[in-house]
Amino acid sequence: MPDGVQLSRRTLLKASAVAGGGFALAATFPMAGRATAVSGPADLNAFITIRPDNTITIVGKNPEIGQGIKTMLPMLIAEELDADWDSVSVKQGMTDAAKYGPQLAGGSFATPMNWMPMRQAGAAARAMLIAAAAQRWGVDAASLATEPGRVVQPGSSRSATFGELASDAAMMDVPDPASLKLKDQADFRIIGRAIGGVDSPKIVRGEPIFGVDTQLDGMVYAAFERSPVFGATLKSADLAAAKAQAGVIDAFKVAANPQASLVEGVAVIASNWWLANKARASLSPQWDNGEWETHSTKAYAQAAKDAWASGKSDEVFAEKGDIDATFAEADRVLEAEYSYPFLAHVAMEPMNCTALMHEDGTMEMWAPSQTPQGGQQAVAGYLGVEPSQVKVHITRMGGGFGRRLNNDYMVQVAAIAKEMPGTPVQLIWSREDDLRSDFYRPAGWHKMRAAVNADGKLTGWADHFVTFDLGDGAFNPAAMDATEFPAKYVDNLKFEQTKMATAVPMGALRAPRSNALSFVMQSFLDEVAHATGKDLPTLMLELTDGVEAEPETQGFVGPQPGFSAPRLQAVTRKVMQMAKWGQPVADGHALGFGFYYSHMGYFAEVVEASLDARGNPVVHNVWTAGDVGSQIINPFGALNQVEGSIIDGIGQAIQLAVEIEGGAAKQSNFHNYPLPRMPMTPKIHVEWVLSDNAPTGLGEPALPPVIPALTNALFALTGKRVRSLPIDPQVFA
Amino acid sequence: MAHRVTINGETREIDAPGDMPLLWALRNELGMVGTKFGCGIGMCGACTVHVDGQATRSCSMPLSAVADKQVSTVEALEQTPVGQALQRAWLDGDVMQCGYCQAGQLMNATALLTNNPNPSDGEIDAAMQGNICRCACYKRIHAAIAKVARDEETANA
C-alpha cells in the first residue's frame, strides 16, 4: 500500500534524559525546503516524554478547532510507541515552524501529512526503549517485543515498564526513521479504537481552555468599531464621548493596513468587555463609504445576467473538442442558470485574541487561529519585527470552519496592544461584528449548458461562471478547476469565466469551492440524467465506466493518489445499496443522490426528503458512503465529523445566506442567520468503504454531496428544480 | 453600585452597573469563564445558567435582576446528580467537537431532566432547540440526554 508522506530524511530526532529521570524525544519536522535543528536540550523541546512513573506526555502540535486533531495525532504516536493510552496525556505545542513544520487546521490536510511521520516518531521511541531493555538484560533486541506500556521478552519472565527503562533509553542511539518497521494494520491497539477527545473532561466542567477564556493579571478588554461597509474609511469619531463612558480606559483610532487585513476603525478599551462594547454607541463615527457603497448581491446577480446575455467572458479556462459543433449537432440541449449566495462561518466562539506587548518590544499572544504561524508572520510583518519576536500560544478554538485561516483579528489586537505596552488586552468581537466582518464563502453564478446526442450520451458540457476577482492569492475560494467533474469524461468542453471587482472579503468555508460547485454540477448532471431517462448514480457510473485511477500526483501535502474513478464507483454502489435506491419510499417522500470528491475523500450520499405543510423541505434520512483510505483512525471523531458536515450542508441548502446590501452584510445575528437546530436533525447512516490508500482527512469531504442530494430529492418529489440557494419554497408552489 | 449575588452557593459582591448582563459579570468581573458568550441576544444558548433552578440566558439577564437569587453555573454542574450523569454521558458518547456550546447545552439539559426526568424525543427536541451547536453534534446531544433519562428510569424501576 502506498503510505503517503514520510518523515523526511531531514527530520531530526534527538533524545535526552529528563531532569529527575526519564526520557525525552525531540522531533523536528522541517517545512519543505527548510531544515533547522532543534537547539538546546531535547527535554525542553520534547515531543514525547516518558517519566519513571510511567506517565507519557505527547505534544499535540496542530491547532484544535473541534476536528479532533489534538486526540488523533497523539493516537498515531502512542500506537507505534505501543503506549497504554490511559497513561498518555497531551500537551498543546506552541507556534514553532522550525520545530513542528506546518501547524495548520485546514484543508483536511493533517491526516495525510501526519499519518506516517507521527507513527515513525512513536516507533523511534519504542525502538530506543527496546534497545535499553536489551542492554540491561544482555539479550538481543530482536528477541524483545512490547505490550502496552512495557518491553517484554516472549518466552521468558523478563518484563520492564517504559517508565523503568526511560532513563536508560535516553542514552540509546536514535534510529533512522526509514529503518523502522511499523505495525501491521491488524496489530493496531489504539488506531481504530473509538477514543474520546482529550480535552472533553475539561470542557464538561467548564474549565478555561478556549482562546476567549484567557485570563492574565491586569488584563483589559477591547471592542472595535468599524464601518459595516467594506472598504470604508473613517472621517471622524467622538473619542472623548466614548472615554467618558463607565469603565472605559481609553479609546483611539487604528489605521488601516490592507496587507495585514487590518481595517480602519476605533478601539475602545475598558475593564469589562461589555462596557467597552457598549461605549461604541457613543462614538458617533462618520465614515467615507466610497465607491463600494453601491455594491449588493442583487447588483452582482444582475451583472451575471448581463455577462451571460453579452455572450462574452473574460477568459476561457478549459476547452476541448468542438463545443460549437457539438451543440449545433446535439439531439437535445439543456440550459440552466445556477447560483448560490455568500455564506458566513459563524464559529460559536466569536473572533477574539489576547495580546501583551512586553516592555522589551516582544509581543506575546494567545491566539485561537487555524494558522498560528501565518498569524505570527502577519503580526511580525505589521510590527516590523522578526517572527521570533512574536510568541504565539495556540489555544483551543470554539470552531473554525475556515474563518480562522485569516488572522485579521490577531493583527487588530496587536495594533491595539502595541499602544499599551505592559498591559494585556483581550479583543472580542460581538456576534454582529463576526457576521459583518467575515471572509465570506463567495457567491457565484453559473450558466450551464449540456449537449446530449441521439443515443442519450452526454457529448458536450459548458459553463460560463461569473465570479469575483480576488487577485492571485495562495488559495482562491472563488475559482473553479479546469478538471471540475465531469470535465474529463466528456469529449467536448468549455469553461469560461467573468470576474467582478469587489471589496467584499472572501475566504475558505469548510470544503471551499466544493461546497458550492457540488450543488451546481451534481444538480445539472441530475438534469441530464432525467432528460435521458436515467438516474444520477447510473449516469455517474456510466461516465466513469472502465476508467482507471489516475497516477500519483504531487499535492500540497506531498505525494498523493490521483483521482480514482473506481473509488467513485465503489462509494456510489455502496450508498445505492444502503439507501435501497430504486425501491419505493414512503408516500410524499423521495430520494436524491449526490457524489463529490474533495480533500482526497470520496463521498456518495442519498437524502430522503419531503415537504412540510408550509412547503418547507424536511430531511428524514441521509445515507453516506465514504472512502478516506485504508483506516478510520478514531471512529468517534470520524463519525462526528461526517454527521456534523451533513447537518451543516443541509442548513446551508435550506436556510443560510448572507446578502450584501449597500456595500455591507445585511445579516447580523442568529435571528437572520438561522443555523440548524436540534429538531432539524435527520437520521444519518454512515458506512466506510476502506481502500488501499493512506488515510486522509474528514473535516470537509462529507459536506459537499449532501446539498445536491437534497435538491435532487426535491426534484424527484415535486418535478421542480432548485437552481438557486438557499432553497426558496416558492419553487415548489 | 455593588450587587450581591449568590453563585454556586457562594455570595459574591459585584461592583458593576445594574444593566450589565450576568454573563459579563461572571466572565470579566468574577473570572468565571465556563459560561460562554455566543450571540448576546439570547438566540444561541451558549451562556445558559440556572437562576433559581430555571435555565436562563445570562447574556440577556441584567445583574440587577438576579440580586437575592441563586445562580448556578457549569463550574458547579458536577455537584448535582443529574449534572454529573449528563457529564458522564457526554464523555461516554463523545458528544462534542469544538465543545464551545457544551456548557450551555449541559446546563439546559440539566434543567430539562430536573423538571422532566423522562422526556420524549419530541420533548428533548423542544427543550433543546434554543441551544445552537455550530458543529451540529445534535444527534449525540440528543442521545446522551435520552440515555441519562433511560438510566434514571431503570434505576427507579
Side-chain angles (χ1 to χ4, degrees):
Chain A
M1 185 185 81
D3 288 320
V5 183
Q6 305 278 323
L7 258 187
S8 147
R9 272 194 303 279
R10 288 176 292 104
T11 298
L12 300 166
L13 296 173
K14 185 172 171 182
S16 78
V18 179
F23 163 81
L25 186 72
T28 311
F29 303 97
M31 310 282 267
R34 230 201 295 171
T36 315
V38 173
S39 55
D43 60 330
L44 296 181
N45 293 292
F47 201 61
I48 304 168
T49 309
I50 306 174
R51 294 201 172 72
D53 67 358
N54 262 330
T55 56
I56 299 174
T57 304
I58 296 176
V59 169
K61 67 183 181 76
N62 281 15
E64 175 63 62
I65 57 175
Q67 83 281 42
I69 210 67
K70 193 176 173 185
T71 306
M72 196 197 86
L73 295 185
M75 282 172 69
L76 299 178
I77 294 167
E79 177 68 68
E80 296 292 345
L81 177 60
D82 217 3
D84 172 1
W85 180 254
D86 291 337
S87 68
V88 172
S89 61
V90 178
K91 191 175 90 175
Q92 177 67 55
M94 290 285 290
T95 304
D96 192 335
K99 193 192 289 187
Y100 298 121
Q103 293 169 287
L104 163 71
S108 295
F109 287 139
T111 302
M113 284 173 104
N114 292 291
W115 167 245
M116 291 298 285
M118 294 297 111
R119 292 171 64 206
Q120 287 169 325
R126 176 177 172 272
M128 293 169 76
L129 290 160
I130 288 177
Q135 192 180 68
R136 183 179 294 184
W137 297 331
V139 301
D140 183 0
S143 72
L144 302 181
T146 52
E147 289 174 1
R150 55 175 58 234
V151 178
V152 297
Q153 188 180 41
S156 88
S157 60
R158 291 193 178 102
S159 170
T161 65
F162 286 178
E164 288 163 357
L165 294 165
S167 296
D168 288 355
M171 306 301 150
M172 299 295 122
D173 290 338
V174 178
D176 171 10
S179 72
L180 297 165
K181 186 185 180 310
L182 300 182
K183 285 186 180 179
D184 289 333
Q185 191 170 12
D187 297 328
F188 289 157
R189 307 184 214 252
I190 293 172
I191 292 173
R193 207 164 101 197
I195 289 179
V198 293
D199 282 339
S200 298
K202 291 180 179 167
I203 290 169
V204 300
R205 292 196 296 265
E207 291 185 24
I209 62 172
F210 295 96
V212 76
D213 298 342
T214 304
Q215 295 184 80
L216 301 166
D217 283 345
M219 189 170 82
V220 296
Y221 297 89
F224 194 86
E225 178 74 9
R226 58 169 285 177
S227 171
V229 176
F230 300 108
T233 52
L234 180 65
K235 286 196 289 195
S236 67
D238 190 347
L239 301 180
K243 286 186 212 178
Q245 301 301 307
V248 173
I249 296 163
D250 203 355
F252 51 85
K253 289 182 189 173
V254 173
N257 185 321
Q259 287 75 32
S261 297
L262 184 61
V263 298
E264 201 159 74
V266 179
V268 181
I269 316 296
S271 56
N272 180 303
W273 182 78
W274 182 76
L275 293 172
N277 196 52
K278 192 182 177 198
R280 287 166 66 181
S282 54
L283 284 167
S284 313
Q286 300 298 309
W287 305 100
D288 180 354
N289 291 333
E291 58 175 313
W292 304 108
E293 196 173 29
T294 58
H295 277 235
S296 68
T297 299
K298 282 196 177 79
Y300 294 138
Q302 186 57 50
K305 287 205 178 293
D306 293 347
W308 295 332
S310 78
K312 292 194 191 102
S313 62
D314 294 345
E315 178 196 6
V316 175
F317 63 98
E319 195 169 22
K320 67 174 171 178
D322 186 340
I323 198 78
D324 293 334
T326 304
F327 278 100
E329 293 160 11
D331 185 58
R332 290 193 62 179
V333 172
L334 283 71
E335 278 193 15
E337 296 170 4
Y338 279 87
S339 66
Y340 42 83
F342 295 103
L343 290 176
H345 297 78
V346 287
M348 281 311 285
E349 180 190 8
M351 296 308 108
N352 70 90
C353 191
T354 305
L356 169 59
M357 184 77 161
H358 290 287
E359 305 286 354
D360 66 2
T362 60
M363 183 70 84
E364 187 168 3
M365 309 188 81
W366 290 259
S369 168
Q370 293 178 245
T371 52
Q373 293 171 356
Q376 184 180 42
Q377 282 166 10
V379 169
Y382 172 74
L383 295 174
V385 300
E386 288 299 310
S388 60
Q389 301 291 97
V390 180
K391 185 175 173 186
V392 181
H393 301 264
I394 298 175
T395 70
R396 189 181 178 92
M397 277 160 270
F401 307 100
R403 174 61 182 86
R404 290 180 158 106
L405 295 168
N406 294 93
N407 293 303
D408 51 322
Y409 51 91
M410 282 183 74
V411 179
Q412 197 173 73
V413 74
I416 297 167
K418 82 177 170 70
E419 303 299 324
M420 333 178 55
T423 301
V425 184
Q426 184 167 92
L427 168 75
I428 306 174
W429 287 7
S430 68
R431 179 58 62 193
E432 289 78 7
D433 296 331
D434 180 59
L435 257 157
R436 288 175 171 162
S437 315
D438 203 347
F439 289 78
Y440 304 91
R441 190 284 296 274
W445 294 264
H446 297 256
K447 172 85 175 255
M448 305 298 302
R449 289 189 301 147
V452 175
N453 71 12
D455 299 332
K457 183 173 185 276
L458 178 64
T459 52
W461 184 260
D463 182 2
H464 181 174
F465 178 27
V466 181
T467 182
F468 296 98
D469 185 359
L470 303 183
D472 298 320
F475 175 81
N476 180 355
M480 179 173 130
D481 280 337
T483 57
E484 182 65 34
F485 193 95
K488 293 173 187 168
Y489 309 99
V490 291
D491 295 334
N492 303 282
L493 176 79
K494 188 178 188 183
F495 286 161
E496 56 193 315
Q497 62 186 350
T498 298
K499 294 183 190 173
M500 298 182 279
T502 183
V504 177
M506 295 179 216
L509 171 69
R510 188 184 209 171
R513 300 184 188 171
S514 312
N515 57 31
L517 296 175
S518 61
F519 161 64
V520 176
M521 304 302 157
Q522 289 283 292
S523 295
F524 193 53
L525 273 177
D526 194 58
E527 296 201 40
V528 171
H530 280 278
T532 55
K534 294 171 195 156
D535 58 33
L536 179 57
T538 305
L539 176 61
M540 293 293 286
L541 293 173
E542 280 180 13
L543 283 169
T544 56
D545 183 36
V547 177
E548 289 178 14
E550 294 169 17
E552 187 174 89
T553 60
Q554 200 63 27
F556 175 81
V557 305
Q560 64 179 59
F563 177 74
S564 166
R567 294 175 78 180
L568 175 160
Q569 296 230 339
V571 294
T572 298
R573 290 183 205 282
K574 181 71 183 177
V575 84
M576 290 171 78
Q577 182 190 66
M578 288 167 67
K580 299 188 169 64
W581 182 264
Q583 292 179 32
V585 292
D587 277 352
H589 292 206
L591 302 185
F593 172 90
F595 166 85
Y596 211 73
Y597 166 71
S598 68
H599 303 274
M600 299 166 73
Y602 298 74
F603 278 82
E605 300 179 1
V606 171
V607 162
E608 178 185 348
S610 69
L611 295 178
D612 70 12
R614 286 177 297 176
N616 293 310
V618 180
V619 177
H620 301 274
N621 282 286
V622 181
W623 292 271
T624 299
D627 174 358
V628 287
S630 60
Q631 175 70 53
I632 298 301
I633 297 166
N634 184 354
F636 256 169
L639 199 54
N640 218 341
Q641 287 303 311
V642 174
E643 290 168 355
S645 296
I646 285 170
I647 298 168
D648 198 354
I650 293 170
Q652 291 174 14
I654 293 182
Q655 58 199 33
L656 293 178
V658 166
E659 193 182 347
I660 302 297
E661 202 177 76
K666 200 172 154 186
Q667 283 64 30
S668 57
N669 208 318
F670 294 127
H671 62 288
N672 53 16
Y673 199 75
L675 288 172
R677 292 172 184 271
M678 187 182 280
M680 270 180 67
T681 309
K683 293 192 181 71
I684 300 170
H685 318 269
V686 180
E687 289 198 36
W688 306 111
V689 178
L690 299 179
S691 66
D692 193 21
N693 295 280
T696 54
L698 274 169
E700 303 170 272
L703 188 150
V706 77
I707 298 170
L710 170 55
T711 54
N712 290 342
L714 294 170
F715 178 81
L717 183 69
T718 65
K720 305 283 173 58
R721 180 62 64 181
V722 174
R723 295 197 181 95
S724 179
L725 293 179
I727 297 166
D728 178 358
Q730 291 304 313
V731 169
F732 314 115
Chain B
M1 73 174 263
H3 299 267
R4 183 172 292 215
V5 186
T6 305
I7 298 167
N8 300 335
E10 192 184 335
T11 303
R12 309 286 296 260
E13 293 270 345
I14 304 171
D15 188 14
D19 59 346
M20 177 180 285
L22 174 59
L23 170 67
W24 293 105
L26 289 169
R27 288 190 63 86
N28 291 175
E29 301 298 323
L30 302 179
M32 297 177 68
V33 295
T35 305
K36 296 294 188 270
F37 168 51
C39 70
I41 59 169
M43 289 289 295
C44 79
C47 66
T48 304
V49 299
H50 296 171
V51 176
D52 286 347
Q54 296 303 307
T56 302
R57 307 298 188 228
S58 65
C59 75
S60 305
M61 174 62 61
L63 195 50
S64 59
V66 292
D68 306 320
K69 294 193 192 297
Q70 300 282 333
V71 175
S72 70
T73 70
V74 66
E75 284 93 345
L77 189 62
E78 63 194 340
Q79 289 166 22
T80 69
V82 172
Q84 208 175 76
L86 283 164
Q87 286 175 321
R88 188 72 256 152
W90 246 242
L91 297 178
D92 289 348
D94 192 45
V95 162
M96 69 200 71
Q97 290 180 42
C98 85
Y100 189 80
C101 72
Q102 300 298 345
Q105 302 277 0
L106 281 159
M107 293 304 287
N108 209 44
T110 303
L112 163 66
L113 292 186
T114 304
N115 296 324
N116 177 5
N118 190 19
S120 66
D121 283 347
E123 285 170 338
I124 294 175
D125 277 356
M128 298 302 294
Q129 69 174 339
N131 287 69
I132 292 174
C133 175
R134 172 68 179 91
C135 306
C137 305
Y138 294 122
K139 189 177 165 180
R140 293 174 182 219
I141 294 169
H142 189 116
I145 295 169
K147 181 177 184 297
V148 171
R150 229 173 23 243
D151 291 352
E152 183 66 16
E153 197 180 19
T154 313
N156 293 338

